[in-house]
Amino acid sequence: RDYAGAMRAAAATLAGEEAELAAAAARKGNALLEVLVAQANDEEAEDPPPSAFKEPLRAFRLALKLQPGHPEAKKGAADLDELLEHISVFEQRPKPNHKLPYDVVIVGAGAAGVGVALTLTKTFGLDPKRVVLVERGDRPGETFRRWPKEMRFISPSFNHQGWSGSFDLNSVMFGTSPAHTLGAEHPSGEDYAFYLGALAHAGDLNIMAKTEVTGVRSRTRNSGFWVDVAPRPGTEEEGAEPMEPLRARYVIWAAGEFQYPKPTDAADEMFPGEALCRHNSSVRSWKEMSGDDYVVIGGYESGMDAAFNLAACGKKCTVAASTRCWTTTTDDPSTELAPYTVQRINEALEMPTPPRLLAPLRVTKVEEAKGGAKGFLVHATWGEAEDDEGSFVSKRRVTEEEKGEDEPGEEGTEIVLRTPQPPILCTGFEGSVSLGVASALFEYGNDQACNAHAPVLTDTDQSTITPGLFLVGSLVQHGELSFCFVYKFRQRFGVVANAIAQGLGYDTRDSVQEARQIDMFMDDFTNCQGACGETC
Ligand SMILES: Cc1cc2nc3c(=O)[nH]c(=O)nc-3n(C[C@H](O)[C@H](O)[C@H](O)COP(=O)(O)OP(=O)(O)OC[C@H]3O[C@@H](n4cnc5c(N)ncnc54)[C@H](O)[C@@H]3O)c2cc1C
């Protein structure tokens, strides 16, 4: 019955065991290392193969895991590091276990494509020549180059590596930091594309640029893929032969979401007249847009970014949002406005042309103004009043005609907003999985509202209906967990790389351990919180 006593006794035994086990592992490591060092120093004998160093390395790592800072293990690991400085333990890759020219084709060289390619080649030791990234842009990071000039990363960059268990939130490879490379806490798209390009260059990645993936075909079950490719429209050389399909054992879909906004065609439109609007992903610069009075449909990060940037360049703007996202708080930092956004919206509300923030509004129709008047009418219906009425703020000085509109109207009543410019749609992205050329190779969830259209994935992020086809990046979702930000989706790179490397016959034990240590191997979601929300 003496639970506390029993616990203390058990803890003491475990502590003793751990120390003994750590000492044993360190001893084993040093013993193995001694033999290898002797062999390396013996001029008559052949040098030990790099793979022989894996066993002592494993032993030192085990000792350090059991007792971080164990002096013998630390010294042994340092000696080993010194010895291995110029030897790659991956020099002896297994021979290809298939006849296809590539091990992996990665579709898209964005944050996810570059990150997973580096994990495959640097952490898991795949041959960079056998891993090819196909990118429609001129260089890696095409999406980021298409961001509006004024847009910034909302997740902050800071180089805290070495002082905490993790690293820069926007980094796609351990040991690198956009904050350090770019000197920016909230990098612009252009800056971030530079960071990705620098990583790809330093990592010797094999990138086929200006090339569009036009089809992905699965060969007979489990024997690889044909990936159809063509020059990006507009870059074709006259008279050139069509490009041969790429043949690979595995395909990683990393084509992202930004270049695949929700379609506004009649069959699928959210409200009549949606096609009259302009999606925010087509804006290259808020400042350079003509006109000075806008209606923005949709709130959250994109809507608030539009509102801030329009206000910052002296343009008027009214946001019609379905929820009062500017006051929403949740468990998951990616489903409420980022602090950076809240800060900027507060700044915008103090500017000479502050944005009007209206919610809860459901847009029902957009039409061209009638009777010879120019511009557009946005019809919207007030929704159920939300609890936090008190925190509804909009400091814009309204004209006589608009008075009263800033206050939420009675539920079910209509409001009509006028704008000389096509309304800006900030209603999100459909994404490249369901809109891209591989859409039929995935199945889609229909069990819960929030992941109804998400691709269903295995526990290694493979398509459930096309083995060998993996998904990486912001479209990865497991149940209610959405891996929509870099700091989330990069943690799955190790899981995907491990499944592929194992399939190619690699011994991945050390690589998995390394990926785990650097926070790039998340195979347990128990510590993840938060549901998906409109921000994703
Ligand atoms: C507006 C917006 C703001 C965001 N802000 C943040 C943020 O602050 N922090 C954060 O962590 N995340 C943010 N995200 C999430 C964001 O999606 C990811 O961080 C990141 O862009 C995803 O990287 P990716 O590689 O999956 O996609 P992308 O960066 O879009 O890369 C996909 C690549 O694939 C290429 N491609 C697409 N289709 C093809 C094809 N058929 N053939 C050849 N190439 C193709 C594209 O050219 C592109 O280079 C934001 C997302 C959006 C939409």
Side-chain angles (χ1 to χ4, degrees):
R1 297 287 158 99
D2 177 12
Y3 295 122
M7 229 165 64
R8 272 198 302 276
T13 312
L14 279 176
E17 294 282 330
E18 270 181 12
E20 245 177 70
L21 285 172
R27 253 196 321 274
K28 178 181 171 189
N30 276 315
L32 289 166
L33 187 58
E34 286 291 311
V35 176
L36 293 171
V37 171
Q39 193 181 337
N41 289 338
D42 183 350
E43 288 184 3
E44 311 253 299
E46 254 184 49
D47 275 350
S51 58
F53 293 87
K54 282 189 173 184
E55 197 58 30
L57 188 64
R58 226 175 262 139
F60 291 135
R61 282 182 176 164
L62 175 64
L64 289 169
K65 196 164 185 194
L66 290 164
Q67 283 216 315
H70 189 286
E72 262 180 70
K74 226 170 143 183
K75 180 168 180 321
D79 289 349
L80 192 60
D81 260 358
E82 205 175 305
L83 207 65
L84 286 177
E85 206 164 297
H86 302 293
I87 308 174
S88 162
V89 286
F90 299 123
E91 259 167 32
Q92 289 188 335
R93 297 189 176 100
K95 288 217 167 72
N97 58 4
H98 59 89
K99 296 215 165 74
L100 304 169
Y102 290 110
D103 288 334
V104 191
V105 167
I106 301 175
V107 184
V114 168
V116 78
L118 291 168
T119 308
L120 281 165
T121 54
K122 300 290 167 218
T123 314
F124 285 79
L126 265 65
D127 181 352
K129 290 192 288 300
R130 296 181 58 83
V131 176
V132 63
L133 292 106
V134 185
E135 169 54 52
R136 61 160 62 122
D138 291 355
R139 294 181 296 280
E142 173 65 14
T143 282
F144 297 97
R145 242 175 263 109
R146 293 187 190 193
W147 274 16
K149 265 191 209 159
E150 300 83 2
M151 199 160 113
R152 297 287 178 268
F153 262 69
I154 52 172
S155 40
S157 266
F158 191 83
N159 188 15
H160 57 290
Q161 188 175 318
W163 290 88
S164 75
S166 194
F167 56 110
D168 190 322
L169 292 180
N170 299 321
S171 164
V172 291
M173 187 195 177
F174 187 78
T176 73
S177 156
H180 177 76
T181 305
L182 307 169
E185 187 178 357
H186 293 279
S188 67
E190 191 68 45
D191 283 350
Y192 195 76
F194 174 85
Y195 159 76
L196 290 180
L199 283 191
H201 179 72
D204 234 352
L205 295 184
N206 181 9
I207 299 182
M208 197 180 264
K210 298 185 192 174
T211 308
E212 183 85 22
V213 168
T214 54
V216 177
R217 289 173 289 141
S218 172
R219 293 153 56 100
T220 50
R221 200 175 155 74
N222 250 344
S223 70
F225 294 85
W226 286 288
V227 178
D228 299 315
V229 284
R232 184 183 74 215
T235 63
E236 304 92 341
E237 278 174 32
E238 214 173 303
E241 292 287 315
M243 293 173 80
E244 287 289 318
L246 304 173
R247 290 178 300 132
R249 178 68 189 83
Y250 297 105
V251 169
I252 301 181
W253 188 261
E257 58 186 333
F258 187 81
Q259 297 182 33
Y260 299 82
K262 284 191 173 141
T264 54
D265 54 2
D268 209 18
E269 62 182 6
M270 282 180 288
F271 49 79
E274 195 186 341
L276 296 170
C277 305
R278 175 174 185 181
H279 196 274
N280 69 313
S281 60
S282 71
V283 173
R284 291 287 168 269
S285 162
W286 295 105
K287 196 169 174 196
E288 286 159 23
M289 296 235 296
S290 58
D292 59 2
D293 192 354
Y294 284 87
V295 167
V296 170
I297 301 175
Y300 278 105
E301 293 297 349
S302 297
M304 294 297 100
D305 184 69
F308 168 79
N309 283 310
L310 286 167
C313 43
K315 298 179 198 274
K316 288 203 276 181
C317 140
T318 301
V319 177
S322 59
T323 50
R324 211 191 310 272
C325 59
W326 42 92
T327 60
T328 303
T329 50
T330 69
D331 284 346
D332 181 344
S334 57
T335 57
E336 61 184 22
L337 286 184
Y340 180 60
T341 310
V342 174
Q343 193 182 315
R344 287 185 308 155
I345 276 298
N346 286 335
E347 275 171 37
L349 291 171
E350 299 293 342
M351 288 175 183
T353 50
R356 279 165 79 203
L357 307 178
L358 304 181
L361 274 180
R362 188 58 70 185
V363 172
T364 52
K365 183 168 74 172
V366 170
E367 60 180 347
E368 283 179 88
K370 295 192 180 89
K374 284 204 171 131
F376 301 84
L377 303 178
V378 178
H379 298 257
T381 308
W382 288 107
E384 190 183 345
E386 291 172 8
D387 288 342
D388 53 353
E389 295 296 336
S391 52
F392 181 76
V393 281
S394 175
K395 297 182 184 165
R396 174 167 174 256
R397 286 168 286 282
V398 290
T399 61
E400 267 313 301
E401 184 187 317
E402 293 164 346
K403 255 193 186 137
E405 281 183 2
D406 283 16
E407 296 304 321
E410 205 175 302
E411 188 183 349
T413 58
E414 198 188 57
I415 179 173
V416 181
L417 306 167
R418 285 157 215 280
T419 167
Q421 313 300 330
I424 307 286
L425 274 185
C426 291
T427 44
F429 299 84
E430 182 83 23
S432 61
V433 178
S434 51
L435 289 185
V437 294
S439 63
L441 302 183
F442 288 92
E443 65 175 333
Y444 300 87
N446 56 11
D447 49 344
Q448 298 160 37
C450 73
N451 71 348
H453 304 294
V456 187
L457 301 173
T458 67
D459 57 5
T460 55
D461 293 352
Q462 272 181 89
S463 157
T464 44
I465 53 172
T466 315
L469 172 62
F470 291 80
L471 176 66
V472 293
S474 52
L475 295 168
V476 171
Q477 202 169 316
H478 284 279
E480 290 211 328
L481 295 175
S482 168
F483 291 71
C484 53
F485 274 45
V486 172
Y487 75 93
K488 294 179 172 183
F489 66 66
R490 72 182 182 196
Q491 298 188 60
R492 298 290 291 170
F493 291 164
V495 174
V496 168
N498 181 42
I500 290 178
Q502 279 188 340
L504 293 169
Y506 283 66
D507 173 355
T508 62
R509 282 173 297 173
D510 291 332
S511 310
V512 167
Q513 201 172 341
E514 187 182 331
R516 238 185 239 294
Q517 271 168 357
I518 58 175
D519 251 358
M520 298 285 252
F521 194 98
M522 183 199 270
D523 58 349
D524 176 359
F525 301 148
T526 41
N527 287 332
C528 306
Q529 273 196 356
C532 58
E534 287 185 49
T535 36
C536 302

